[in-house]
C-alpha cells in the first residue's frame, strides 16, 4: 500500500483520481481548499477507511509523510482562473514550490498536472512536446498559461538541482461526470444549454477545433505516467487526438440530448486558441501503449446523463 497525496483532490479530475487510487489499494490524502472543488465530489469516498480529506491551500506549506504526490491544485476553466488571476498564478507557482519542497524532504515521487495551454495558440499542428508554444504573457489567459509554464520550469529545476523524482503531463481538454455546470468549459456549457432548451452559444465562427478526452482515459494515463521509471520525467501529452470543430460538438450534443436548442454565435474571446490537438506518440511509446479508448459519443452520453440528473436534483 502506498500513501498518496492528491492536491486538488476534490475537483473534477482529482476526485476521479482519488477514487481510482483507492480502488487500487492505496491510502489517499485529498488536499483541497474548495475554491473550485467541492465535498459533493468526494462524499462517496469519505467513509473509506484509507481516505482522508484535508482543507488546505497549497500556496501555504503542508507537511506529511507520503510516497507519491499528484499536484492537481489550480482552477482550470477560464471562468474560474480569471476570477482571481493573482490567486491563480500563486496557486500554480507557490503550490509547485511547496509540493516540490515536500517531495524533496520525504523523497516522494511527484507528478505535475500541466496543461495543453502551455502551447497557447499554436503555430504547429498537432502539438508535440518539443514545441515551445505561442503564449501571450500579458493576456487575460496568462495567469493560467504562464503559471503552468513556470510550474513546469520549477519541476525541471528541482529535478536537475535536487534530484527530485518528477513527472510532468500536459492535459488536453477533458470532460466527464463531476464537471461543474457553470465552469465555462465548452462541453459542460453546451450540454447544460441543450438540456435547458437554451440557445447554444459558440464563440467565433465555430470552426476552431478541440480534442476531447474522457476523464477515465486521462486517469489511466496519469497512473501509467507515475509508474514509469525515474529516467523518464516528461513532459508528455495526455489527450485524445480526435479533433472536432465547435460546430460539430454542438450538433452532436443537440442530437444526443434531443434538444430544440439553436446555435448562436458570439465574439471570440481574446487569445482563444484556434486549434488544439495532441500528438500522443510519446505517450504511446513511454506509457505502455497508452491511448484513449472512449469515443466522443460514448463519453458524451455518460456526461449528459450526469448533468441531466444534476439539473433535476442539484443537491
Amino acid at each position: 500500500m502506498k500513501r498518496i497525496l492528491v492536491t486538488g483532490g476534490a475537483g473534477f479530475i482529482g476526485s476521479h483520481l482519488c477514487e481510482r487510487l483507492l480502488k487500487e489499494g492505496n491510502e489517499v490524502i485529498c488536499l483541497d481548499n474548495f475554491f473550485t472543488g467541492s465535498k459533493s465530489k468526494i462524499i462517496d469516498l469519505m467513509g473509506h477507511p484509507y481516505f482522508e480529506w484535508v482543507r488546505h491551500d497549497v500556496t501555504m506549506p503542508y507537511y506529511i509523510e507520503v510516497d507519491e504526490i499528484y499536484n492537481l491544485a489550480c482552477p482550470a476553466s477560464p471562468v474560474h482562473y480569471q476570477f482571481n488571476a493573482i490567486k491563480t498564478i500563486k496557486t500554480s507557482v507557490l503550490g509547485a514550490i511547496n509540493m516540490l519542497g515536500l517531495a524533496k524532504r520525504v523523497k516522494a515521487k511527484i507528478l505535475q498536472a500541466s496543461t495543453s495551454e502551455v502551447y497557447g495558440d499554436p503555430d504547429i499542428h498537432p502539438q508535440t512536446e518539443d514545441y515551445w508554444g505561442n503564449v501571450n504573457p500579458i493576456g487575460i489567459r496568462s495567469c493560467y498559461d504562464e503559471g503552468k509554464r513556470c510550474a513546469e520550469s520549477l519541476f525541471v529545476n528541482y529535478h536537475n538541482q535536487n534530484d527530485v523524482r518528477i513527472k510532468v503531463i500536459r492535459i488536453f481538454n477533458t470532460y466527464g461526470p463531476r464537471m461543474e455546470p457553470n465552469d465555462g468549459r465548452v462541453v459542460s456549457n453546451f450540454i447544460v444549454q441543450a438540456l435547458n432548451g437554451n440557445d447554444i452559444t459558440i464563440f467565433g465562427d465555430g470552426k476552431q477545433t478541440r480534442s476531447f478526452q474522457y476523464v477515465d482515459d486521462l486517469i489511466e494515463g496519469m497512473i501509467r505516467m507515475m509508474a514509469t521509471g525515474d529516467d523518464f520525467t516528461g513532459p508528455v501529452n495526455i489527450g485524445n487526438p480526435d479533433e472536432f470543430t465547435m460546430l460539430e460538438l454542438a450538433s452532436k450534443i443537440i442530437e444526443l440530448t434531443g434538444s430544440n436548442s439553436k446555435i448562436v454565435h458570439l465574439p471570440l474571446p481574446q487569445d482563444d486558441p484556434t486549434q488544439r490537438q495532441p500528438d500522443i506518440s510519446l505517450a504511446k511509446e513511454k506509457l505502455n501503449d497508452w491511448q484513449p479508448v472512449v469515443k466522443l459519443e460514448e463519453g458524451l452520453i455518460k456526461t449528459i446523463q450526469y448533468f441531466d440528473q444534476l439539473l433535476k436534483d442539484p443537491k
Side-chain angles (χ1 to χ4, degrees):
M1 177 183 289
K2 287 181 290 189
R3 199 159 190 241
I4 302 174
L5 175 66
V6 179
T7 74
F12 159 48
I13 293 172
S15 62
H16 284 277
L17 178 62
C18 288
E19 185 176 29
R20 170 71 182 270
L21 292 171
L22 286 169
K23 285 181 178 178
E24 294 191 348
N26 301 292
E27 181 180 354
V28 176
I29 299 93
C30 164
L31 203 70
D32 209 297
N33 68 350
F34 299 109
F35 176 64
T36 57
S38 68
K39 291 180 183 178
S40 64
K41 290 181 172 59
I42 55 173
I43 191 71
D44 292 339
L45 305 180
M46 288 186 178
H48 195 290
Y50 294 112
F51 179 76
E52 176 184 354
W53 69 271
V54 179
R55 185 188 293 268
H56 185 83
D57 192 317
V58 294
T59 62
M60 303 297 291
Y62 183 68
Y63 303 97
I64 192 172
E65 298 288 329
V66 290
D67 303 299
E68 294 177 353
I69 302 167
Y70 288 83
N71 187 39
L72 278 63
C74 188
S77 72
V79 168
H80 291 143
Y81 68 64
Q82 291 173 17
F83 175 76
N84 187 337
I86 294 172
K87 178 68 173 177
T88 297
I89 297 171
K90 284 183 174 181
T91 301
S92 287
V93 177
L94 295 179
I97 290 172
N98 287 328
M99 290 304 112
L100 285 163
L102 173 61
K104 177 186 173 184
R105 285 191 296 274
V106 302
K107 302 188 184 306
K109 189 187 296 187
I110 180 169
L111 181 144
Q112 167 67 5
S114 191
T115 170
S116 61
E117 298 298 332
V118 300
Y119 298 124
D121 190 5
D123 295 318
I124 68 166
H125 193 73
Q127 291 80 59
T128 54
E129 290 86 353
D130 58 359
Y131 174 54
W132 292 356
N134 177 34
V135 176
N136 178 359
I138 57 172
I140 60 171
R141 302 169 70 99
S142 64
C143 58
Y144 184 69
D145 301 359
E146 296 290 24
K148 289 289 191 176
R149 286 162 68 94
C150 183
E152 285 196 17
S153 178
L154 283 163
F155 266 69
V156 169
N157 283 288
Y158 264 80
H159 172 68
N160 292 338
Q161 188 170 325
N162 297 315
D163 296 321
V164 175
R165 296 182 295 156
I166 67 163
K167 306 290 176 183
V168 178
I169 62 170
R170 291 174 177 165
I171 301 173
F172 282 69
N173 290 61
T174 303
Y175 70 98
R178 299 183 200 154
M179 296 181 79
E180 289 292 327
N182 60 346
D183 68 2
R185 302 188 206 198
V186 64
V187 173
S188 51
N189 268 7
F190 286 2
I191 290 176
V192 170
Q193 289 169 343
L195 289 173
N196 286 330
N198 299 328
D199 291 337
I200 290 185
T201 52
I202 290 182
F203 295 103
D205 60 12
K207 295 179 181 178
Q208 66 270 37
T209 64
R210 293 294 185 273
S211 303
F212 301 104
Q213 167 180 237
Y214 190 66
V215 63
D216 289 356
D217 287 328
L218 168 61
I219 299 304
E220 179 65 27
M222 296 175 78
I223 298 288
R224 292 193 191 190
M225 180 59 174
M226 184 65 93
T228 57
D230 292 346
D231 59 330
F232 180 62
T233 61
V236 61
N237 292 335
I238 304 292
N240 193 321
D242 293 339
E243 189 178 15
F244 298 90
T245 67
M246 297 301 95
L247 287 170
E248 289 173 328
L249 177 66
S251 297
K252 176 58 69 175
I253 288 174
I254 289 172
E255 173 192 336
L256 293 175
T257 56
S259 174
N260 294 319
S261 297
K262 306 298 182 185
I263 295 175
V264 299
H265 295 266
L266 298 176
L268 194 67
Q270 178 189 345
D271 299 331
D272 192 58
T274 55
Q275 287 183 308
R276 188 60 60 73
Q277 181 191 23
D279 183 312
I280 61 170
S281 302
L282 186 62
K284 288 182 179 179
E285 175 191 348
K286 298 292 188 178
L287 307 185
N288 195 23
D289 200 32
W290 174 90
Q291 57 186 315
V293 297
V294 180
K295 296 299 182 183
L296 181 64
E297 182 166 329
E298 177 188 353
L300 286 177
I301 289 171
K302 294 179 181 179
T303 310
I304 288 167
Q305 290 171 345
Y306 165 78
F307 276 113
D308 188 40
Q309 182 62 39
L310 182 68
L311 294 173
K312 290 175 181 175
D313 183 15
K315 293 182 181 178

